[in-house]
Amino acid sequence: TILLVEDEDMVRAVAERALTRAGYTVVTASQGEEGLERFAGMEKVDLVVSDVVMPTMDGPAMVREMRKKRPALPVLFMSGYAEEQLRQSINIDDVAFLPKPFSVAQLAEAVSAALDNAAHRAANG
């Protein structure tokens, strides 16, 4: 189950469709606060896929809140900004990055890799 948080309607719709086609259950939110609400109401979240820059609450602030409840929550950030720039500014461990723009195939690949990494970390403590 993937929680997809993206403020751009078109990007969110395309990503949701691609992930659903790839066999994932997808719950969407259009911004950080809504993402937290969805997260609180979900029994199981295997991965959070989130934009970094969003109005009111950005992706990193949302993820920090989520990780207070689930410290090992797997996260894939999508962003049009350079990864190195982002890693320094968001300061959150164990997150994957997918640069925008991306193709449907790149999204599916990044999600699969993030889930595999999470499973590997969990198995190896």
Side-chain angles (χ1 to χ4, degrees), residues 26-65:
V26 183
V27 175
T28 63
S30 60
Q31 39 88 356
E33 286 93 343
E34 188 184 357
L36 285 177
E37 286 170 21
R38 296 271 192 277
F39 180 75
M42 293 170 71
E43 222 170 88
K44 179 181 168 208
V45 179
D46 296 299
L47 177 66
V48 173
V49 177
S50 175
D51 193 0
V52 173
V53 180
M54 295 182 286
T56 61
M57 177 184 269
D58 66 11
M62 177 190 72
V63 166
R64 282 188 199 96
E65 283 301 306

PDB file of all heavy atoms in Angstrom, residues 26-65:
ATOM      1  N   VAL A  26      -3.160   2.323  -3.871  1.00  0.00           N
ATOM      2  CA  VAL A  26      -2.674   3.691  -3.742  1.00  0.00           C
ATOM      3  C   VAL A  26      -3.716   4.567  -3.054  1.00  0.00           C
ATOM      4  O   VAL A  26      -4.879   4.594  -3.444  1.00  0.00           O
ATOM      5  CB  VAL A  26      -2.332   4.299  -5.126  1.00  0.00           C
ATOM      6  CG1 VAL A  26      -1.760   5.700  -4.976  1.00  0.00           C
ATOM      7  CG2 VAL A  26      -1.350   3.401  -5.878  1.00  0.00           C
ATOM      8  N   VAL A  27      -3.290   5.273  -2.018  1.00  0.00           N
ATOM      9  CA  VAL A  27      -4.113   6.267  -1.344  1.00  0.00           C
ATOM     10  C   VAL A  27      -3.447   7.603  -1.636  1.00  0.00           C
ATOM     11  O   VAL A  27      -2.223   7.731  -1.503  1.00  0.00           O
ATOM     12  CB  VAL A  27      -4.160   6.011   0.180  1.00  0.00           C
ATOM     13  CG1 VAL A  27      -4.911   7.120   0.894  1.00  0.00           C
ATOM     14  CG2 VAL A  27      -4.790   4.650   0.465  1.00  0.00           C
ATOM     15  N   THR A  28      -4.235   8.605  -2.072  1.00  0.00           N
ATOM     16  CA  THR A  28      -3.627   9.876  -2.461  1.00  0.00           C
ATOM     17  C   THR A  28      -4.006  11.012  -1.521  1.00  0.00           C
ATOM     18  O   THR A  28      -5.047  10.976  -0.855  1.00  0.00           O
ATOM     19  CB  THR A  28      -4.043  10.288  -3.890  1.00  0.00           C
ATOM     20  OG1 THR A  28      -5.454  10.494  -3.915  1.00  0.00           O
ATOM     21  CG2 THR A  28      -3.650   9.239  -4.905  1.00  0.00           C
ATOM     22  N   ALA A  29      -3.123  12.011  -1.510  1.00  0.00           N
ATOM     23  CA  ALA A  29      -3.369  13.252  -0.784  1.00  0.00           C
ATOM     24  C   ALA A  29      -2.755  14.377  -1.605  1.00  0.00           C
ATOM     25  O   ALA A  29      -1.760  14.169  -2.301  1.00  0.00           O
ATOM     26  CB  ALA A  29      -2.741  13.194   0.603  1.00  0.00           C
ATOM     27  N   SER A  30      -3.363  15.568  -1.521  1.00  0.00           N
ATOM     28  CA  SER A  30      -2.894  16.668  -2.354  1.00  0.00           C
ATOM     29  C   SER A  30      -1.924  17.608  -1.637  1.00  0.00           C
ATOM     30  O   SER A  30      -1.385  18.516  -2.248  1.00  0.00           O
ATOM     31  CB  SER A  30      -4.080  17.470  -2.886  1.00  0.00           C
ATOM     32  OG  SER A  30      -4.818  17.989  -1.799  1.00  0.00           O
ATOM     33  N   GLN A  31      -1.702  17.393  -0.346  1.00  0.00           N
ATOM     34  CA  GLN A  31      -0.705  18.198   0.380  1.00  0.00           C
ATOM     35  C   GLN A  31      -0.373  17.536   1.721  1.00  0.00           C
ATOM     36  O   GLN A  31      -0.977  16.534   2.084  1.00  0.00           O
ATOM     37  CB  GLN A  31      -1.149  19.659   0.534  1.00  0.00           C
ATOM     38  CG  GLN A  31      -2.600  19.884   0.831  1.00  0.00           C
ATOM     39  CD  GLN A  31      -2.937  19.878   2.316  1.00  0.00           C
ATOM     40  OE1 GLN A  31      -2.095  19.640   3.171  1.00  0.00           O
ATOM     41  NE2 GLN A  31      -4.182  20.120   2.637  1.00  0.00           N
ATOM     42  N   GLY A  32       0.615  18.094   2.427  1.00  0.00           N
ATOM     43  CA  GLY A  32       1.151  17.480   3.632  1.00  0.00           C
ATOM     44  C   GLY A  32       0.162  17.193   4.744  1.00  0.00           C
ATOM     45  O   GLY A  32       0.148  16.086   5.296  1.00  0.00           O
ATOM     46  N   GLU A  33      -0.674  18.176   5.078  1.00  0.00           N
ATOM     47  CA  GLU A  33      -1.645  17.949   6.162  1.00  0.00           C
ATOM     48  C   GLU A  33      -2.602  16.826   5.806  1.00  0.00           C
ATOM     49  O   GLU A  33      -2.926  15.982   6.633  1.00  0.00           O
ATOM     50  CB  GLU A  33      -2.469  19.212   6.477  1.00  0.00           C
ATOM     51  CG  GLU A  33      -1.715  20.272   7.229  1.00  0.00           C
ATOM     52  CD  GLU A  33      -1.088  21.285   6.286  1.00  0.00           C
ATOM     53  OE1 GLU A  33      -0.963  21.007   5.073  1.00  0.00           O
ATOM     54  OE2 GLU A  33      -0.715  22.366   6.773  1.00  0.00           O
ATOM     55  N   GLU A  34      -3.060  16.824   4.555  1.00  0.00           N
ATOM     56  CA  GLU A  34      -3.965  15.767   4.111  1.00  0.00           C
ATOM     57  C   GLU A  34      -3.233  14.420   4.139  1.00  0.00           C
ATOM     58  O   GLU A  34      -3.811  13.397   4.493  1.00  0.00           O
ATOM     59  CB  GLU A  34      -4.478  16.067   2.702  1.00  0.00           C
ATOM     60  CG  GLU A  34      -5.568  15.122   2.257  1.00  0.00           C
ATOM     61  CD  GLU A  34      -6.029  15.346   0.816  1.00  0.00           C
ATOM     62  OE1 GLU A  34      -5.550  16.293   0.145  1.00  0.00           O
ATOM     63  OE2 GLU A  34      -6.864  14.555   0.368  1.00  0.00           O
ATOM     64  N   GLY A  35      -1.955  14.436   3.793  1.00  0.00           N
ATOM     65  CA  GLY A  35      -1.142  13.224   3.854  1.00  0.00           C
ATOM     66  C   GLY A  35      -1.094  12.662   5.273  1.00  0.00           C
ATOM     67  O   GLY A  35      -1.228  11.457   5.484  1.00  0.00           O
ATOM     68  N   LEU A  36      -0.913  13.546   6.267  1.00  0.00           N
ATOM     69  CA  LEU A  36      -0.901  13.109   7.675  1.00  0.00           C
ATOM     70  C   LEU A  36      -2.246  12.529   8.086  1.00  0.00           C
ATOM     71  O   LEU A  36      -2.304  11.524   8.795  1.00  0.00           O
ATOM     72  CB  LEU A  36      -0.539  14.273   8.603  1.00  0.00           C
ATOM     73  CG  LEU A  36       0.929  14.686   8.638  1.00  0.00           C
ATOM     74  CD1 LEU A  36       1.111  15.897   9.543  1.00  0.00           C
ATOM     75  CD2 LEU A  36       1.819  13.541   9.084  1.00  0.00           C
ATOM     76  N   GLU A  37      -3.331  13.156   7.639  1.00  0.00           N
ATOM     77  CA  GLU A  37      -4.678  12.653   7.960  1.00  0.00           C
ATOM     78  C   GLU A  37      -4.888  11.263   7.366  1.00  0.00           C
ATOM     79  O   GLU A  37      -5.380  10.361   8.039  1.00  0.00           O
ATOM     80  CB  GLU A  37      -5.751  13.599   7.406  1.00  0.00           C
ATOM     81  CG  GLU A  37      -5.895  14.883   8.188  1.00  0.00           C
ATOM     82  CD  GLU A  37      -6.795  15.891   7.468  1.00  0.00           C
ATOM     83  OE1 GLU A  37      -7.617  15.484   6.599  1.00  0.00           O
ATOM     84  OE2 GLU A  37      -6.673  17.092   7.773  1.00  0.00           O
ATOM     85  N   ARG A  38      -4.514  11.104   6.088  1.00  0.00           N
ATOM     86  CA  ARG A  38      -4.659   9.799   5.437  1.00  0.00           C
ATOM     87  C   ARG A  38      -3.820   8.751   6.172  1.00  0.00           C
ATOM     88  O   ARG A  38      -4.270   7.648   6.437  1.00  0.00           O
ATOM     89  CB  ARG A  38      -4.209   9.851   3.977  1.00  0.00           C
ATOM     90  CG  ARG A  38      -5.040  10.761   3.107  1.00  0.00           C
ATOM     91  CD  ARG A  38      -6.219  10.004   2.513  1.00  0.00           C
ATOM     92  NE  ARG A  38      -6.852  10.764   1.471  1.00  0.00           N
ATOM     93  CZ  ARG A  38      -7.748  11.720   1.666  1.00  0.00           C
ATOM     94  NH1 ARG A  38      -8.104  12.060   2.868  1.00  0.00           N
ATOM     95  NH2 ARG A  38      -8.290  12.349   0.645  1.00  0.00           N
ATOM     96  N   PHE A  39      -2.583   9.122   6.482  1.00  0.00           N
ATOM     97  CA  PHE A  39      -1.653   8.218   7.169  1.00  0.00           C
ATOM     98  C   PHE A  39      -2.240   7.746   8.493  1.00  0.00           C
ATOM     99  O   PHE A  39      -2.207   6.561   8.818  1.00  0.00           O
ATOM    100  CB  PHE A  39      -0.317   8.942   7.393  1.00  0.00           C
ATOM    101  CG  PHE A  39       0.723   8.115   8.091  1.00  0.00           C
ATOM    102  CD1 PHE A  39       1.394   7.103   7.412  1.00  0.00           C
ATOM    103  CD2 PHE A  39       1.053   8.351   9.417  1.00  0.00           C
ATOM    104  CE1 PHE A  39       2.368   6.338   8.048  1.00  0.00           C
ATOM    105  CE2 PHE A  39       2.018   7.593  10.060  1.00  0.00           C
ATOM    106  CZ  PHE A  39       2.680   6.586   9.372  1.00  0.00           C
ATOM    107  N   ALA A  40      -2.814   8.680   9.244  1.00  0.00           N
ATOM    108  CA  ALA A  40      -3.395   8.346  10.552  1.00  0.00           C
ATOM    109  C   ALA A  40      -4.556   7.368  10.416  1.00  0.00           C
ATOM    110  O   ALA A  40      -4.781   6.544  11.299  1.00  0.00           O
ATOM    111  CB  ALA A  40      -3.865   9.627  11.251  1.00  0.00           C
ATOM    112  N   GLY A  41      -5.268   7.427   9.296  1.00  0.00           N
ATOM    113  CA  GLY A  41      -6.425   6.569   9.098  1.00  0.00           C
ATOM    114  C   GLY A  41      -6.118   5.254   8.397  1.00  0.00           C
ATOM    115  O   GLY A  41      -7.018   4.443   8.192  1.00  0.00           O
ATOM    116  N   MET A  42      -4.855   5.040   8.044  1.00  0.00           N
ATOM    117  CA  MET A  42      -4.501   3.829   7.303  1.00  0.00           C
ATOM    118  C   MET A  42      -3.936   2.761   8.239  1.00  0.00           C
ATOM    119  O   MET A  42      -3.120   3.056   9.092  1.00  0.00           O
ATOM    120  CB  MET A  42      -3.481   4.152   6.204  1.00  0.00           C
ATOM    121  CG  MET A  42      -4.041   5.018   5.097  1.00  0.00           C
ATOM    122  SD  MET A  42      -2.767   5.643   3.966  1.00  0.00           S
ATOM    123  CE  MET A  42      -2.302   4.156   3.082  1.00  0.00           C
ATOM    124  N   GLU A  43      -4.395   1.528   8.028  1.00  0.00           N
ATOM    125  CA  GLU A  43      -3.914   0.414   8.834  1.00  0.00           C
ATOM    126  C   GLU A  43      -2.476   0.071   8.474  1.00  0.00           C
ATOM    127  O   GLU A  43      -1.664  -0.238   9.321  1.00  0.00           O
ATOM    128  CB  GLU A  43      -4.798  -0.797   8.570  1.00  0.00           C
ATOM    129  CG  GLU A  43      -5.153  -1.562   9.805  1.00  0.00           C
ATOM    130  CD  GLU A  43      -6.208  -2.595   9.509  1.00  0.00           C
ATOM    131  OE1 GLU A  43      -5.823  -3.713   9.131  1.00  0.00           O
ATOM    132  OE2 GLU A  43      -7.408  -2.266   9.639  1.00  0.00           O
ATOM    133  N   LYS A  44      -2.183   0.135   7.173  1.00  0.00           N
ATOM    134  CA  LYS A  44      -0.882  -0.304   6.689  1.00  0.00           C
ATOM    135  C   LYS A  44      -0.398   0.647   5.599  1.00  0.00           C
ATOM    136  O   LYS A  44      -1.150   0.975   4.682  1.00  0.00           O
ATOM    137  CB  LYS A  44      -1.050  -1.712   6.130  1.00  0.00           C
ATOM    138  CG  LYS A  44       0.185  -2.330   5.563  1.00  0.00           C
ATOM    139  CD  LYS A  44      -0.150  -3.727   5.025  1.00  0.00           C
ATOM    140  CE  LYS A  44       1.011  -4.219   4.203  1.00  0.00           C
ATOM    141  NZ  LYS A  44       0.625  -5.149   3.172  1.00  0.00           N
ATOM    142  N   VAL A  45       0.849   1.093   5.728  1.00  0.00           N
ATOM    143  CA  VAL A  45       1.480   1.900   4.692  1.00  0.00           C
ATOM    144  C   VAL A  45       2.857   1.289   4.449  1.00  0.00           C
ATOM    145  O   VAL A  45       3.686   1.262   5.352  1.00  0.00           O
ATOM    146  CB  VAL A  45       1.651   3.383   5.120  1.00  0.00           C
ATOM    147  CG1 VAL A  45       2.335   4.175   4.017  1.00  0.00           C
ATOM    148  CG2 VAL A  45       0.313   4.011   5.466  1.00  0.00           C
ATOM    149  N   ASP A  46       3.080   0.778   3.238  1.00  0.00           N
ATOM    150  CA  ASP A  46       4.370   0.166   2.924  1.00  0.00           C
ATOM    151  C   ASP A  46       5.390   1.187   2.444  1.00  0.00           C
ATOM    152  O   ASP A  46       6.589   0.987   2.590  1.00  0.00           O
ATOM    153  CB  ASP A  46       4.192  -0.917   1.855  1.00  0.00           C
ATOM    154  CG  ASP A  46       3.322  -2.053   2.361  1.00  0.00           C
ATOM    155  OD1 ASP A  46       3.710  -2.687   3.354  1.00  0.00           O
ATOM    156  OD2 ASP A  46       2.247  -2.287   1.775  1.00  0.00           O
ATOM    157  N   LEU A  47       4.880   2.282   1.857  1.00  0.00           N
ATOM    158  CA  LEU A  47       5.771   3.297   1.306  1.00  0.00           C
ATOM    159  C   LEU A  47       5.023   4.623   1.179  1.00  0.00           C
ATOM    160  O   LEU A  47       3.860   4.638   0.784  1.00  0.00           O
ATOM    161  CB  LEU A  47       6.261   2.850  -0.088  1.00  0.00           C
ATOM    162  CG  LEU A  47       7.163   3.806  -0.871  1.00  0.00           C
ATOM    163  CD1 LEU A  47       8.509   3.983  -0.192  1.00  0.00           C
ATOM    164  CD2 LEU A  47       7.371   3.297  -2.300  1.00  0.00           C
ATOM    165  N   VAL A  48       5.717   5.703   1.511  1.00  0.00           N
ATOM    166  CA  VAL A  48       5.177   7.043   1.260  1.00  0.00           C
ATOM    167  C   VAL A  48       5.946   7.599   0.076  1.00  0.00           C
ATOM    168  O   VAL A  48       7.181   7.613   0.068  1.00  0.00           O
ATOM    169  CB  VAL A  48       5.365   7.977   2.486  1.00  0.00           C
ATOM    170  CG1 VAL A  48       4.951   9.402   2.129  1.00  0.00           C
ATOM    171  CG2 VAL A  48       4.552   7.470   3.667  1.00  0.00           C
ATOM    172  N   VAL A  49       5.215   8.005  -0.971  1.00  0.00           N
ATOM    173  CA  VAL A  49       5.804   8.667  -2.129  1.00  0.00           C
ATOM    174  C   VAL A  49       5.301  10.101  -2.069  1.00  0.00           C
ATOM    175  O   VAL A  49       4.100  10.343  -2.096  1.00  0.00           O
ATOM    176  CB  VAL A  49       5.370   7.996  -3.455  1.00  0.00           C
ATOM    177  CG1 VAL A  49       5.953   8.749  -4.644  1.00  0.00           C
ATOM    178  CG2 VAL A  49       5.797   6.533  -3.484  1.00  0.00           C
ATOM    179  N   SER A  50       6.240  11.050  -1.918  1.00  0.00           N
ATOM    180  CA  SER A  50       5.814  12.429  -1.692  1.00  0.00           C
ATOM    181  C   SER A  50       6.650  13.429  -2.472  1.00  0.00           C
ATOM    182  O   SER A  50       7.862  13.261  -2.626  1.00  0.00           O
ATOM    183  CB  SER A  50       5.926  12.755  -0.192  1.00  0.00           C
ATOM    184  OG  SER A  50       5.627  14.116   0.041  1.00  0.00           O
ATOM    185  N   ASP A  51       5.974  14.483  -2.903  1.00  0.00           N
ATOM    186  CA  ASP A  51       6.673  15.643  -3.437  1.00  0.00           C
ATOM    187  C   ASP A  51       7.406  16.281  -2.263  1.00  0.00           C
ATOM    188  O   ASP A  51       7.021  16.102  -1.102  1.00  0.00           O
ATOM    189  CB  ASP A  51       5.632  16.617  -4.025  1.00  0.00           C
ATOM    190  CG  ASP A  51       6.264  17.689  -4.888  1.00  0.00           C
ATOM    191  OD1 ASP A  51       7.499  17.695  -5.047  1.00  0.00           O
ATOM    192  OD2 ASP A  51       5.514  18.541  -5.400  1.00  0.00           O
ATOM    193  N   VAL A  52       8.469  17.013  -2.539  1.00  0.00           N
ATOM    194  CA  VAL A  52       9.202  17.692  -1.481  1.00  0.00           C
ATOM    195  C   VAL A  52       8.582  19.054  -1.197  1.00  0.00           C
ATOM    196  O   VAL A  52       8.234  19.375  -0.069  1.00  0.00           O
ATOM    197  CB  VAL A  52      10.705  17.844  -1.849  1.00  0.00           C
ATOM    198  CG1 VAL A  52      11.434  18.713  -0.831  1.00  0.00           C
ATOM    199  CG2 VAL A  52      11.358  16.473  -1.942  1.00  0.00           C
ATOM    200  N   VAL A  53       8.428  19.859  -2.244  1.00  0.00           N
ATOM    201  CA  VAL A  53       7.924  21.223  -2.087  1.00  0.00           C
ATOM    202  C   VAL A  53       6.416  21.254  -2.333  1.00  0.00           C
ATOM    203  O   VAL A  53       5.957  20.955  -3.430  1.00  0.00           O
ATOM    204  CB  VAL A  53       8.638  22.193  -3.058  1.00  0.00           C
ATOM    205  CG1 VAL A  53       8.110  23.602  -2.900  1.00  0.00           C
ATOM    206  CG2 VAL A  53      10.142  22.145  -2.823  1.00  0.00           C
ATOM    207  N   MET A  54       5.666  21.566  -1.266  1.00  0.00           N
ATOM    208  CA  MET A  54       4.203  21.690  -1.367  1.00  0.00           C
ATOM    209  C   MET A  54       3.777  22.874  -0.505  1.00  0.00           C
ATOM    210  O   MET A  54       4.481  23.236   0.435  1.00  0.00           O
ATOM    211  CB  MET A  54       3.516  20.410  -0.858  1.00  0.00           C
ATOM    212  CG  MET A  54       3.794  19.182  -1.694  1.00  0.00           C
ATOM    213  SD  MET A  54       2.925  17.710  -1.089  1.00  0.00           S
ATOM    214  CE  MET A  54       3.862  17.295   0.375  1.00  0.00           C
ATOM    215  N   PRO A  55       2.610  23.449  -0.813  1.00  0.00           N
ATOM    216  CA  PRO A  55       2.141  24.571   0.003  1.00  0.00           C
ATOM    217  C   PRO A  55       1.810  24.126   1.427  1.00  0.00           C
ATOM    218  O   PRO A  55       1.534  22.962   1.672  1.00  0.00           O
ATOM    219  CB  PRO A  55       0.886  25.053  -0.722  1.00  0.00           C
ATOM    220  CG  PRO A  55       0.535  23.988  -1.692  1.00  0.00           C
ATOM    221  CD  PRO A  55       1.726  23.126  -1.912  1.00  0.00           C
ATOM    222  N   THR A  56       1.842  25.012   2.342  1.00  0.00           N
ATOM    223  CA  THR A  56       1.570  24.866   3.782  1.00  0.00           C
ATOM    224  C   THR A  56       2.500  23.887   4.486  1.00  0.00           C
ATOM    225  O   THR A  56       3.319  24.306   5.270  1.00  0.00           O
ATOM    226  CB  THR A  56       0.081  24.580   4.119  1.00  0.00           C
ATOM    227  OG1 THR A  56      -0.336  23.359   3.531  1.00  0.00           O
ATOM    228  CG2 THR A  56      -0.816  25.705   3.653  1.00  0.00           C
ATOM    229  N   MET A  57       2.414  22.590   4.236  1.00  0.00           N
ATOM    230  CA  MET A  57       3.338  21.633   4.856  1.00  0.00           C
ATOM    231  C   MET A  57       4.077  20.886   3.769  1.00  0.00           C
ATOM    232  O   MET A  57       3.468  20.219   2.939  1.00  0.00           O
ATOM    233  CB  MET A  57       2.576  20.644   5.746  1.00  0.00           C
ATOM    234  CG  MET A  57       3.479  19.581   6.359  1.00  0.00           C
ATOM    235  SD  MET A  57       2.580  18.349   7.323  1.00  0.00           S
ATOM    236  CE  MET A  57       2.630  19.113   8.927  1.00  0.00           C
ATOM    237  N   ASP A  58       5.405  20.983   3.764  1.00  0.00           N
ATOM    238  CA  ASP A  58       6.171  20.300   2.724  1.00  0.00           C
ATOM    239  C   ASP A  58       6.364  18.820   3.057  1.00  0.00           C
ATOM    240  O   ASP A  58       6.032  18.354   4.156  1.00  0.00           O
ATOM    241  CB  ASP A  58       7.510  21.010   2.476  1.00  0.00           C
ATOM    242  CG  ASP A  58       8.468  20.951   3.664  1.00  0.00           C
ATOM    243  OD1 ASP A  58       8.233  20.194   4.634  1.00  0.00           O
ATOM    244  OD2 ASP A  58       9.478  21.675   3.619  1.00  0.00           O
ATOM    245  N   GLY A  59       6.892  18.085   2.098  1.00  0.00           N
ATOM    246  CA  GLY A  59       7.087  16.646   2.254  1.00  0.00           C
ATOM    247  C   GLY A  59       7.959  16.272   3.450  1.00  0.00           C
ATOM    248  O   GLY A  59       7.585  15.402   4.245  1.00  0.00           O
ATOM    249  N   PRO A  60       9.133  16.910   3.615  1.00  0.00           N
ATOM    250  CA  PRO A  60       9.986  16.554   4.753  1.00  0.00           C
ATOM    251  C   PRO A  60       9.323  16.786   6.112  1.00  0.00           C
ATOM    252  O   PRO A  60       9.457  15.949   7.011  1.00  0.00           O
ATOM    253  CB  PRO A  60      11.205  17.465   4.569  1.00  0.00           C
ATOM    254  CG  PRO A  60      11.276  17.673   3.087  1.00  0.00           C
ATOM    255  CD  PRO A  60       9.838  17.760   2.642  1.00  0.00           C
ATOM    256  N   ALA A  61       8.586  17.870   6.278  1.00  0.00           N
ATOM    257  CA  ALA A  61       7.891  18.125   7.559  1.00  0.00           C
ATOM    258  C   ALA A  61       6.851  17.032   7.806  1.00  0.00           C
ATOM    259  O   ALA A  61       6.717  16.524   8.927  1.00  0.00           O
ATOM    260  CB  ALA A  61       7.226  19.500   7.536  1.00  0.00           C
ATOM    261  N   MET A  62       6.137  16.648   6.760  1.00  0.00           N
ATOM    262  CA  MET A  62       5.128  15.597   6.870  1.00  0.00           C
ATOM    263  C   MET A  62       5.784  14.267   7.262  1.00  0.00           C
ATOM    264  O   MET A  62       5.317  13.575   8.169  1.00  0.00           O
ATOM    265  CB  MET A  62       4.392  15.456   5.532  1.00  0.00           C
ATOM    266  CG  MET A  62       3.367  14.328   5.503  1.00  0.00           C
ATOM    267  SD  MET A  62       2.739  14.026   3.829  1.00  0.00           S
ATOM    268  CE  MET A  62       4.166  13.237   3.048  1.00  0.00           C
ATOM    269  N   VAL A  63       6.888  13.923   6.597  1.00  0.00           N
ATOM    270  CA  VAL A  63       7.573  12.658   6.870  1.00  0.00           C
ATOM    271  C   VAL A  63       8.130  12.633   8.296  1.00  0.00           C
ATOM    272  O   VAL A  63       8.053  11.613   8.979  1.00  0.00           O
ATOM    273  CB  VAL A  63       8.682  12.398   5.820  1.00  0.00           C
ATOM    274  CG1 VAL A  63       9.627  11.288   6.263  1.00  0.00           C
ATOM    275  CG2 VAL A  63       8.043  12.056   4.475  1.00  0.00           C
ATOM    276  N   ARG A  64       8.661  13.759   8.768  1.00  0.00           N
ATOM    277  CA  ARG A  64       9.165  13.790  10.157  1.00  0.00           C
ATOM    278  C   ARG A  64       8.043  13.457  11.134  1.00  0.00           C
ATOM    279  O   ARG A  64       8.246  12.729  12.099  1.00  0.00           O
ATOM    280  CB  ARG A  64       9.752  15.162  10.478  1.00  0.00           C
ATOM    281  CG  ARG A  64      11.129  15.373   9.900  1.00  0.00           C
ATOM    282  CD  ARG A  64      11.793  16.656  10.392  1.00  0.00           C
ATOM    283  NE  ARG A  64      12.870  17.003   9.488  1.00  0.00           N
ATOM    284  CZ  ARG A  64      12.758  17.859   8.474  1.00  0.00           C
ATOM    285  NH1 ARG A  64      11.619  18.488   8.247  1.00  0.00           N
ATOM    286  NH2 ARG A  64      13.779  18.088   7.686  1.00  0.00           N
ATOM    287  N   GLU A  65       6.849  13.988  10.882  1.00  0.00           N
ATOM    288  CA  GLU A  65       5.694  13.692  11.744  1.00  0.00           C
ATOM    289  C   GLU A  65       5.326  12.210  11.672  1.00  0.00           C
ATOM    290  O   GLU A  65       5.074  11.574  12.686  1.00  0.00           O
ATOM    291  CB  GLU A  65       4.480  14.544  11.343  1.00  0.00           C
ATOM    292  CG  GLU A  65       4.551  15.976  11.804  1.00  0.00           C
ATOM    293  CD  GLU A  65       4.667  16.104  13.313  1.00  0.00           C
ATOM    294  OE1 GLU A  65       3.827  15.536  14.048  1.00  0.00           O
ATOM    295  OE2 GLU A  65       5.620  16.762  13.773  1.00  0.00           O
TER     296      GLU A  65
END
